[in-house]
Amino acid sequence: MGRAPCCDKANVKKGPWSPEEDAKLKDYIEKHGTGGNWIALPLKAGLKRCGKSCRLRWLNYLRPNIKHGDFSDDEDRIICTLFSTIGSRWSIIAAQLPGRTDNDIKNYWNTKLKKKLMGMSQKRSQNSITPNSILLDHQSLSLTSSSSSLPYPTLSFTGYQNYSIPSTNNPPSVVIQGQEGNYMMNSSIHHYQDHNSFLRFGSEVAAAAAASSSSSDDGSSIFINRFEDDQQKPIINYDQNPSLDCSLEEIKQLISTNLTFNNNFFLDEIKIEEDKFTYY
DNA sequence: AATAAAAACAACCGCATTTAG
DNA sequence: TCTAAATGCGGTTGTTTTTAT
């Protein structure tokens, strides 16, 4: 007993759409709309196609305001940030990128962006030059919430760069090397009225997307804070989140045992001041 | 110039969720 | 409330195009 087919497979065309078919579908939908019934639409529009195929063709290719062509750096950044936070939930990611479809983003990720990121992290692990990102090894992934069923690290962080707050145009990113592949978490720069600027890994966009979905994932973040008077003594604040079951002590341990990246990076001591760590 | 390999893109398939009767 | 149909989603496959040899 298999699943009932959605249409009569013998009498529907498969494969690439011809310009004539595109025109028929476009014309019909522009005049009559979808009528809320994709299954019935091909018959009405005079198409020998499955309703699902029509829907896909319309959503991914024919509907107005679809963007084709290269992705911008901003789009790259949003995709990376969201992927690192919510994983391969392409429809949610697509919702943040007007004009892009989930299929388009999925293809782009699988064929280009993923490789681009892998290349970046590999290059950095080979070179001793100061990177604009922080490379974490897989050992450091234990910050991931153990209650999460998500197959990717929610958040991990094991140290900081010897850095200064970068320009707003080019905030650094974290590349996480996981068993399943590499993930990149972008950062954003925040300014408080009575506070110094700091970097936040994971973004509000990502947090919002995670919150709006049914996922138990969170938008938790770690802040790297820089004192105005001394760039070389940042503070890392752990933004406590109930769904991230990792104690401050564990974080301290994690940080002190994972000083594995960047030649110019070193950590001597950690002091805990209630909910934050001060590095000396 | 011909061919093979890789990359890019479009579309399909089946499962999960939502909706309507 | 229950059930079947419709829809949406994400993984995967197939086809076309581009690049390398």
Side-chain angles (χ1 to χ4, degrees), chain A residues 40-162:
Chain A
L41 189 144
L43 189 67
K44 291 181 191 167
L47 287 160
K48 287 188 171 167
R49 287 275 180 178
C50 172
K52 285 174 83 166
S53 177
C54 293
R55 175 184 162 271
L56 206 65
R57 187 64 181 168
W58 173 255
L59 292 177
N60 285 342
Y61 201 83
L62 296 174
R63 82 183 142 103
N65 305 320
I66 288 285
K67 255 193 231 170
H68 290 107
D70 292 346
F71 282 70
S72 68
D73 288 346
D74 276 349
E75 287 176 313
D76 281 4
R77 199 167 294 129
I78 291 169
I79 294 168
C80 290
T81 302
L82 288 175
F83 189 89
S84 71
T85 312
I86 62 172
S88 61
R89 297 165 72 175
W90 304 115
S91 58
I92 294 173
I93 296 174
Q96 305 299 323
L97 298 171
R100 300 292 188 184
T101 69
D102 52 356
N103 206 39
D104 214 16
I105 294 168
K106 177 174 58 184
N107 282 335
Y108 178 59
W109 172 263
N110 285 329
T111 58
K112 291 185 190 168
L113 199 49
K114 192 163 64 179
K115 288 167 192 166
K116 194 167 147 187
L117 291 183
M118 304 269 270
M120 276 169 59
S121 69
Q122 221 162 32
K123 206 171 168 185
R124 281 175 182 148
S125 62
Q126 283 163 2
N127 298 339
S128 58
I129 55 167
T130 305
N132 191 28
S133 74
I134 301 165
L135 188 63
L136 307 180
D137 63 25
H138 186 259
Q139 301 303 312
S140 66
L141 296 182
S142 52
L143 251 182
T144 302
S145 166
S146 63
S147 61
S148 169
S149 61
L150 300 167
Y152 49 84
T154 354
L155 179 71
S156 67
F157 188 77
T158 56
Y160 65 91
Q161 262 184 298
N162 186 8

Side-chain angles (χ1 to χ4, degrees), chain A residues 152-187:
Chain A
Y152 49 84
T154 354
L155 179 71
S156 67
F157 188 77
T158 56
Y160 65 91
Q161 262 184 298
N162 186 8
Y163 77 105
S164 58
I165 292 288
S167 78
T168 311
N169 294 335
N170 193 24
S173 52
V174 179
V175 176
I176 302 167
Q177 291 179 322
Q179 280 169 336
E180 313 297 326
N182 289 358
Y183 305 91
M184 189 165 96
M185 192 184 295
N186 287 328
S187 68

Side-chain angles (χ1 to χ4, degrees), chain A residues 13 16-26 47 49:
Chain A
K13 191 185 164 202
W17 281 64
S18 68
E20 291 75 26
E21 288 178 306
D22 280 350
K24 268 189 186 175
L25 181 60
K26 198 158 185 270
L47 287 160
R49 287 275 180 178

